Amino acid sequence: MSRKVIHIIIGLNTGGAERALYNILQGGLAERYRSVVISLTDEGRYGPMLKKLGVEVFTLNMKRGIPSISALLKLRSILKKHHPAFIQGWMYHGNLIASLASLLLVKRVPVVWNVRHCLYDLSAEKRLTQWVIKLCIRLSQKAVIITYNSLLSRTQHEHLGFNSAIGLVIPNGFPLKRFKFSEKFRDNIRPSLKVYDKAIVVGHVGRYHPMKDHETFLRAAVEVAQHISCVVFLLLGTDVEYSNPELAALIPIGLRSRFLLIGEISDVEKYYSAMDVFCLSSSSEAFPNVLGEAMACGLPCVTTDVGDASYIVGETGIVVPPENPTALAAAVFEILDKTEYELAELKRTARERIKENFSLTSVVKCYASLYEDIQIDSN
């Protein structure tokens, strides 16, 4: 067993970074490196799951990720107890605290950052996040490596002032045994949703948040629904329910039977198999996990041109400008107009592209190689 790595992340609730951390640890990194995860807030959804992997999880219960004296003292105690070979930060707050944590130790340990966000406009971020990012610009000179999960994210942050000499892109990886098409799941899920056999299901997965731009998706979906009667829209994600008045208001009452809003689902891979087409409508992303998951399940995809989405999709789907419902609807029409053979080819090549470029196995190897290099350099 190799030396110990401490991961520091703002929280462990449902989210792309949290899922990516869990995936790489579950995918083999926790076996190669003794791993400790420190959540600046609480255990969230992934804390108990990480513990089942044998990963120690600590919480600092900070409010909004803002450090208190007691939290910093607890952090120092954890670091002194575990003697990490290095510290891995996740996201802005985690990166900042990882660098500060290193200062709490008598013997400095290397600090690795992990940036998971595209930064189109600093002024559009929350004031606290702006402050954290500005601190990170200064502290980035002290990190040994800054990893990014997308090419665009690296370009944007280095342009802003992040240390460009130590940047490295490691994309998200997908567990292909979990994310694959299943006839069994399809046969179980569609009847449970009261979706009849010949219905065409267009899917969307994402928590209710401005950057996911549900409004653009729903405006496009309504246009498609008004022209093709057999299309059903399946939306999954936290707060994506009819009890959300902002969402419900975007769906005409006469069409609501064809819009299935079922909220957050833990076993999302089953629902991909119930879909026929997948849409990403985000106005901002770095490396959208749901796009890779859908492709791994053999779904032809329509996506907005955000982050590395166009790179992920390649020639296997259609890319449109963000915040453009008309373009998104036209792309869905184009997918639905394809022949059965053309759709079969898109499904096959979508999964093949994920398998060749974004498998979890290859991404875990990238992290393991990086960690090994850091250990060698620090000795």
Side-chain angles (χ1 to χ4, degrees):
M1 179 73 76
S2 300
R3 295 162 71 189
K4 189 168 290 186
V5 180
I6 288 184
H7 299 266
I8 300 180
I9 189 167
I10 188 168
L12 290 168
N13 278 317
T14 302
E18 297 86 344
R19 184 158 69 252
L21 171 58
Y22 174 77
N23 280 345
I24 64 169
L25 292 175
Q26 187 271 338
L29 203 63
E31 296 177 3
R32 302 188 188 201
Y33 286 83
R34 290 177 291 167
S35 301
V36 174
V37 172
I38 299 175
S39 168
L40 302 184
T41 51
D42 54 29
E43 285 193 0
R45 175 192 172 200
Y46 283 101
M49 296 169 66
L50 287 166
K51 288 179 178 179
K52 288 182 180 179
L53 299 178
V55 175
E56 289 189 80
V57 177
F58 297 92
T59 59
L60 301 185
N61 299 309
M62 296 181 186
K63 293 182 178 180
R64 298 168 59 202
I66 302 174
S68 62
I69 297 299
S70 60
L72 290 175
L73 289 174
K74 183 176 180 180
L75 175 60
R76 184 172 182 269
S77 175
I78 295 168
L79 295 173
K80 289 179 66 177
K81 176 184 176 182
H82 288 279
H83 304 290
F86 56 91
I87 303 170
Q88 166 86 70
W90 288 76
M91 301 188 290
Y92 299 130
H93 292 75
N95 294 333
L96 174 61
I97 297 300
S99 290
L100 294 178
S102 178
L103 301 177
L104 299 174
L105 298 173
V106 175
K107 181 182 177 182
R108 299 284 176 85
V109 299
V111 175
V112 182
W113 284 8
N114 198 315
V115 177
R116 319 285 304 177
H117 183 59
C118 274
L119 196 59
Y120 295 90
D121 181 3
L122 181 60
S123 65
E125 302 293 330
K126 294 178 182 177
R127 185 168 297 179
L128 175 60
T129 303
Q130 291 182 41
W131 178 77
V132 171
I133 292 170
K134 290 175 181 178
L135 279 176
C136 285
I137 292 172
R138 293 178 177 273
L139 289 171
S140 68
Q141 305 302 319
K142 301 296 184 181
V144 296
I145 290 288
I146 302 175
T147 63
Y148 301 88
N149 70 335
S150 84
L151 297 165
L152 180 60
S153 177
R154 178 180 180 181
T155 299
Q156 289 174 334
H157 285 82
E158 290 181 355
H159 179 75
L160 193 65
F162 278 55
N163 189 346
S164 61
I166 56 173
L168 175 69
V169 176
I170 302 179
N172 295 347
F174 303 96
L176 296 175
K177 289 183 179 179
R178 177 185 175 194
F179 290 100
K180 60 182 180 180
F181 175 77
S182 166
E183 195 73 50
K184 177 182 176 182
F185 289 158
R186 186 178 180 87
D187 290 344
N188 289 337
I189 295 296
R190 286 171 69 106
S192 73
L193 298 173
K194 297 181 180 178
V195 174
Y196 57 89
D197 290 343
K198 294 187 178 181
I200 299 170
V201 177
V202 177
H204 185 282
V205 177
R207 72 190 189 281
Y208 185 66
H209 186 281
M211 65 179 284
K212 302 300 181 183
D213 199 358
H214 284 80
E215 180 175 353
T216 286
F217 174 74
L218 287 172
R219 292 194 185 284
V222 168
E223 183 177 344
V224 173
Q226 289 172 336
H227 287 84
I228 306 178
S229 60
C230 64
V231 177
V232 174
F233 298 90
L234 173 60
L235 288 80
L236 288 69
T238 305
D239 295 327
V240 181
E241 302 173 272
Y242 277 106
S243 58
N244 181 335
E246 294 178 353
L247 276 182
L250 294 167
I251 306 171
I253 293 176
L255 293 175
R256 288 189 179 181
S257 63
R258 293 165 58 195
F259 283 78
L260 308 176
L261 280 58
I262 60 175
E264 184 178 354
I265 297 295
S266 59
D267 50 355
V268 65
E269 68 276 9
K270 296 180 181 179
Y271 288 79
Y272 286 125
S273 289
M275 300 172 188
D276 298 292
V277 180
F278 183 81
C279 277
L280 181 86
S281 60
S282 298
S283 59
S284 174
E285 291 277 2
F287 190 107
N289 279 314
V290 293
L291 196 57
E293 292 171 357
M295 291 172 64
C297 292
L299 284 173
C301 294
V302 173
T303 179
T304 46
D305 191 7
V306 290
D308 279 11
S310 62
Y311 171 62
I312 298 168
V313 169
E315 301 297 321
T316 72
I318 301 176
V319 181
V320 301
E323 301 180 49
N324 190 328
T326 301
L328 191 64
V332 174
F333 282 128
E334 184 178 339
I335 289 283
L336 298 182
D337 197 43
K338 291 186 179 297
T339 67
E340 189 173 327
Y341 173 78
E342 289 172 329
L343 284 174
E345 272 300 288
L346 285 180
K347 293 176 180 180
R348 182 187 66 79
T349 56
R351 178 170 173 82
E352 195 63 26
R353 181 165 179 78
I354 298 301
K355 182 178 180 181
E356 290 180 359
N357 297 281
F358 308 109
S359 73
L360 180 59
T361 300
S362 64
V363 169
V364 168
K365 286 180 180 178
C366 288
Y367 277 101
S369 177
L370 169 63
Y371 290 177
E372 189 64 30
D373 289 343
I374 294 170
Q375 285 198 166
I376 292 171
D377 292 342
S378 62
N379 288 335

